[in-house]
Amino acid sequence: MHRLPQAAAFVVSATYEVIAWNDLAAALMEDFSALPRRDRNLVRRVFLGPHRPGRRLYGVSDADEFARRAAQDLRATAARYPDDPELTELVAELLAGSEEFTALWNSHDVAATPTFRKTFQHPMVGPVTVNCDVLDIADRDQRVVIYTTVPGSPSESALRLLSVIGTQSMDITPDAGRPSARATRSSAMSVIMSS
Protein backbone atom coordinates (compact mmCIF):
# COMPACT_ATOMS: atom_id res chain seq x y z
CA MET A 1 0.00 0.00 0.00
CA HIS A 2 2.89 2.33 0.64
CA ARG A 3 3.84 1.85 -3.01
CA LEU A 4 0.68 3.75 -3.92
CA PRO A 5 1.74 7.29 -2.92
CA GLN A 6 -0.90 9.02 -5.06
CA ALA A 7 -3.75 6.83 -3.80
CA ALA A 8 -5.43 6.44 -0.43
CA ALA A 9 -5.44 2.71 0.30
CA PHE A 10 -6.50 0.54 3.23
CA VAL A 11 -7.38 -3.05 4.05
CA VAL A 12 -10.52 -4.11 5.91
CA SER A 13 -11.39 -7.44 7.46
CA ALA A 14 -14.65 -9.29 6.84
CA THR A 15 -16.14 -7.26 9.71
CA TYR A 16 -14.91 -3.93 8.23
CA GLU A 17 -12.14 -3.44 10.77
CA VAL A 18 -9.41 -1.31 9.19
CA ILE A 19 -6.33 -3.49 9.65
CA ALA A 20 -3.79 -1.72 7.41
CA TRP A 21 -3.60 1.67 5.70
CA ASN A 22 -1.20 4.03 3.99
CA ASP A 23 -0.48 7.61 5.03
CA LEU A 24 -2.83 9.14 2.47
CA ALA A 25 -5.77 7.04 3.72
CA ALA A 26 -5.06 8.29 7.24
CA ALA A 27 -4.92 11.89 5.99
CA LEU A 28 -8.16 11.57 3.98
CA MET A 29 -10.19 9.68 6.60
CA GLU A 30 -8.51 9.74 10.00
CA ASP A 31 -5.33 8.66 11.73
CA PHE A 32 -6.20 5.04 12.40
CA SER A 33 -2.96 4.58 14.36
CA ALA A 34 -4.31 6.97 16.99
CA LEU A 35 -7.42 4.84 17.53
CA PRO A 36 -7.86 1.73 19.64
CA ARG A 37 -8.47 -1.35 17.49
CA ARG A 38 -12.16 -1.39 18.40
CA ASP A 39 -12.69 2.13 17.00
CA ARG A 40 -11.18 1.24 13.61
CA ASN A 41 -14.34 -0.65 12.64
CA LEU A 42 -16.13 1.18 9.80
CA VAL A 43 -19.49 -0.53 10.44
CA ARG A 44 -19.42 0.56 14.08
CA ARG A 45 -18.39 4.02 12.89
CA VAL A 46 -21.18 4.44 10.33
CA PHE A 47 -23.97 3.25 12.65
CA LEU A 48 -22.80 4.33 16.11
CA GLY A 49 -20.48 7.25 15.41
CA PRO A 50 -18.93 9.41 16.50
CA HIS A 51 -20.10 11.79 13.79
CA ARG A 52 -19.34 15.43 13.34
CA PRO A 53 -22.50 17.39 12.47
CA GLY A 54 -23.31 16.74 8.80
CA ARG A 55 -20.32 14.40 8.38
CA ARG A 56 -21.44 10.80 8.78
CA LEU A 57 -18.50 8.46 8.16
CA TYR A 58 -15.88 11.07 7.26
CA GLY A 59 -18.41 13.15 5.32
CA VAL A 60 -18.44 10.66 2.45
CA SER A 61 -21.22 11.15 -0.11
CA ASP A 62 -22.37 7.51 -0.10
CA ALA A 63 -22.48 6.97 3.68
CA ASP A 64 -26.09 5.73 3.58
CA GLU A 65 -25.38 3.28 0.75
CA PHE A 66 -22.22 2.15 2.55
CA ALA A 67 -24.31 1.51 5.69
CA ARG A 68 -26.75 -0.65 3.69
CA ARG A 69 -23.97 -2.59 1.97
CA ALA A 70 -22.00 -3.04 5.20
CA ALA A 71 -25.05 -4.44 7.03
CA GLN A 72 -25.61 -6.88 4.16
CA ASP A 73 -21.95 -7.91 4.15
CA LEU A 74 -21.92 -8.31 7.92
CA ARG A 75 -24.95 -10.62 7.72
CA ALA A 76 -23.10 -12.78 5.17
CA THR A 77 -19.99 -12.75 7.39
CA ALA A 78 -22.07 -13.85 10.39
CA ALA A 79 -23.33 -16.80 8.32
CA ARG A 80 -19.73 -17.80 7.49
CA TYR A 81 -18.48 -17.40 11.07
CA PRO A 82 -21.44 -18.14 13.36
CA ASP A 83 -19.23 -18.97 16.36
CA ASP A 84 -16.91 -15.95 16.19
CA PRO A 85 -17.24 -14.14 19.57
CA GLU A 86 -16.00 -10.72 18.31
CA LEU A 87 -18.43 -10.81 15.40
CA THR A 88 -21.31 -11.87 17.66
CA GLU A 89 -20.45 -9.03 20.06
CA LEU A 90 -20.26 -6.48 17.21
CA VAL A 91 -23.65 -7.51 15.80
CA ALA A 92 -25.23 -7.41 19.28
CA GLU A 93 -23.79 -3.94 19.90
CA LEU A 94 -25.08 -2.67 16.55
CA LEU A 95 -28.54 -4.19 17.08
CA ALA A 96 -28.77 -2.59 20.53
CA GLY A 97 -27.39 0.79 19.48
CA SER A 98 -28.81 1.50 16.03
CA GLU A 99 -32.40 1.32 14.83
CA GLU A 100 -31.14 1.77 11.27
CA PHE A 101 -28.81 -1.22 11.56
CA THR A 102 -31.58 -3.32 13.13
CA ALA A 103 -33.95 -2.53 10.23
CA LEU A 104 -31.27 -3.33 7.64
CA TRP A 105 -30.23 -6.50 9.47
CA ASN A 106 -33.84 -7.71 9.70
CA SER A 107 -34.52 -6.99 6.01
CA HIS A 108 -32.27 -9.91 4.94
CA ASP A 109 -31.48 -7.90 1.80
CA VAL A 110 -28.41 -9.20 -0.01
CA ALA A 111 -28.39 -7.17 -3.23
CA ALA A 112 -25.63 -4.61 -2.91
CA THR A 113 -24.57 -2.26 -5.66
CA PRO A 114 -20.95 -1.17 -5.65
CA THR A 115 -20.01 2.49 -5.50
CA PHE A 116 -17.38 3.45 -8.02
CA ARG A 117 -17.13 7.14 -7.15
CA LYS A 118 -17.65 9.05 -3.93
CA THR A 119 -16.90 12.45 -2.48
CA PHE A 120 -15.35 13.09 0.93
CA GLN A 121 -16.07 16.42 2.61
CA HIS A 122 -12.66 16.89 4.19
CA PRO A 123 -12.43 19.54 6.94
CA MET A 124 -9.12 20.98 5.70
CA VAL A 125 -9.13 20.64 1.90
CA GLY A 126 -12.84 20.57 1.13
CA PRO A 127 -14.50 18.12 -1.26
CA VAL A 128 -12.35 15.28 -2.59
CA THR A 129 -14.00 13.13 -5.26
CA VAL A 130 -12.39 9.74 -5.63
CA ASN A 131 -12.77 6.64 -7.76
CA CYS A 132 -13.18 3.58 -5.57
CA ASP A 133 -11.68 0.22 -6.43
CA VAL A 134 -12.17 -2.75 -4.12
CA LEU A 135 -10.02 -5.85 -4.48
CA ASP A 136 -11.17 -8.97 -2.66
CA ILE A 137 -8.54 -11.16 -1.01
CA ALA A 138 -10.74 -14.23 -0.79
CA ASP A 139 -8.34 -16.57 1.00
CA ARG A 140 -7.98 -14.07 3.87
CA ASP A 141 -11.54 -12.72 3.79
CA GLN A 142 -10.21 -9.18 3.44
CA ARG A 143 -10.64 -6.30 0.99
CA VAL A 144 -8.16 -3.75 -0.27
CA VAL A 145 -9.85 -0.40 -0.92
CA ILE A 146 -8.05 2.07 -3.19
CA TYR A 147 -9.19 5.65 -3.72
CA THR A 148 -7.74 7.53 -6.70
CA THR A 149 -8.57 10.87 -8.29
CA VAL A 150 -8.92 12.01 -11.89
CA PRO A 151 -5.55 13.39 -13.07
CA GLY A 152 -5.52 17.18 -13.26
CA SER A 153 -8.71 17.58 -11.22
CA PRO A 154 -9.17 19.79 -8.16
CA SER A 155 -9.56 16.56 -6.18
CA GLU A 156 -6.13 15.41 -7.33
CA SER A 157 -4.70 18.72 -6.06
CA ALA A 158 -6.56 18.29 -2.76
CA LEU A 159 -5.25 14.73 -2.35
CA ARG A 160 -1.72 15.93 -3.15
CA LEU A 161 -2.12 18.62 -0.49
CA LEU A 162 -3.30 15.98 1.97
CA SER A 163 -0.18 13.94 1.20
CA VAL A 164 1.83 16.94 2.43
CA ILE A 165 -0.37 17.86 5.39
CA GLY A 166 -0.85 14.26 6.52
CA THR A 167 -2.76 13.92 9.77
CA GLN A 168 -1.60 17.24 11.22
CA SER A 169 -4.18 19.35 12.95
CA MET A 170 -4.54 22.75 11.32
CA ASP A 171 -6.57 24.34 14.10
CA ILE A 172 -4.55 27.54 14.17
CA THR A 173 -5.91 30.71 15.67
CA PRO A 174 -4.84 33.77 13.68
CA ASP A 175 -2.47 36.01 15.62
CA ALA A 176 -1.06 39.32 14.53
CA GLY A 177 1.92 37.66 12.89
CA ARG A 178 0.64 34.16 12.06
CA PRO A 179 -1.56 33.15 9.14
CA SER A 180 -4.83 31.34 9.70
CA ALA A 181 -5.29 27.71 8.70
CA ARG A 182 -7.34 28.90 5.70
CA ALA A 183 -4.51 31.19 4.56
CA THR A 184 -2.00 28.38 5.06
CA ARG A 185 -4.21 26.00 3.05
CA SER A 186 -4.57 28.54 0.23
CA SER A 187 -0.81 29.12 0.09
CA ALA A 188 -0.07 25.40 0.12
CA MET A 189 -2.71 24.71 -2.52
CA SER A 190 -1.12 27.38 -4.77
CA VAL A 191 2.26 25.69 -4.41
CA ILE A 192 0.81 22.23 -5.10
CA MET A 193 -1.16 23.39 -8.15
CA SER A 194 1.83 25.17 -9.67
CA SER A 195 4.06 22.08 -9.38
Side-chain angles (χ1 to χ4, degrees):
M1 284 188 306
H2 293 289
R3 292 183 184 179
L4 300 169
Q6 300 301 315
F10 59 98
V11 178
V12 292
S13 70
T15 60
Y16 284 87
E17 178 186 335
V18 178
I19 55 177
W21 57 90
N22 68 5
D23 293 339
L24 200 47
L28 179 63
M29 298 165 73
E30 76 178 299
D31 184 2
F32 296 109
S33 67
L35 298 175
R37 180 178 165 238
R38 177 186 193 292
D39 292 342
R40 293 180 194 157
N41 186 290
L42 298 180
V43 177
R44 183 178 280 119
R45 212 60 166 176
V46 75
F47 288 107
L48 303 178
H51 307 294
R52 291 184 187 155
R55 292 194 68 234
R56 183 179 189 189
L57 193 64
Y58 314 112
V60 71
S61 59
D62 73 330
D64 293 340
E65 179 55 36
F66 173 82
R68 258 188 307 285
R69 190 171 53 254
Q72 294 163 356
D73 287 348
L74 200 59
R75 178 173 272 294
T77 300
R80 285 192 311 276
Y81 306 107
D83 299 323
D84 183 290
E86 282 188 42
L87 176 57
T88 302
E89 181 182 327
L90 174 62
V91 170
E93 179 184 358
L94 292 166
L95 288 168
S98 171
E99 290 179 19
E100 178 186 12
F101 178 81
T102 301
L104 290 168
W105 182 265
N106 290 335
S107 74
H108 298 275
D109 187 10
V110 292
T113 55
T115 301
F116 299 107
R117 181 168 255 206
K118 57 181 74 190
T119 301
F120 285 85
Q121 295 299 328
H122 195 277
M124 289 191 292
V125 298
V128 181
T129 300
V130 296
N131 298 316
C132 178
D133 294 299
V134 179
L135 310 170
D136 286 318
I137 307 171
D139 63 328
R140 295 180 184 231
D141 217 356
Q142 297 172 348
R143 294 181 180 123
V144 178
V145 181
I146 303 171
Y147 295 143
T148 57
T149 56
V150 173
S153 68
S155 291
E156 180 190 38
S157 297
L159 211 55
R160 287 176 62 198
L161 178 57
L162 278 176
S163 73
V164 174
I165 295 171
T167 57
Q168 298 178 55
S169 175
M170 300 294 281
D171 297 333
I172 301 171
T173 307
D175 287 343
R178 281 189 2 212
S180 68
R182 182 175 295 282
T184 303
R185 175 185 170 259
S186 297
S187 301
M189 191 64 110
S190 298
V191 169
I192 295 284
M193 292 182 82
S194 65
S195 59

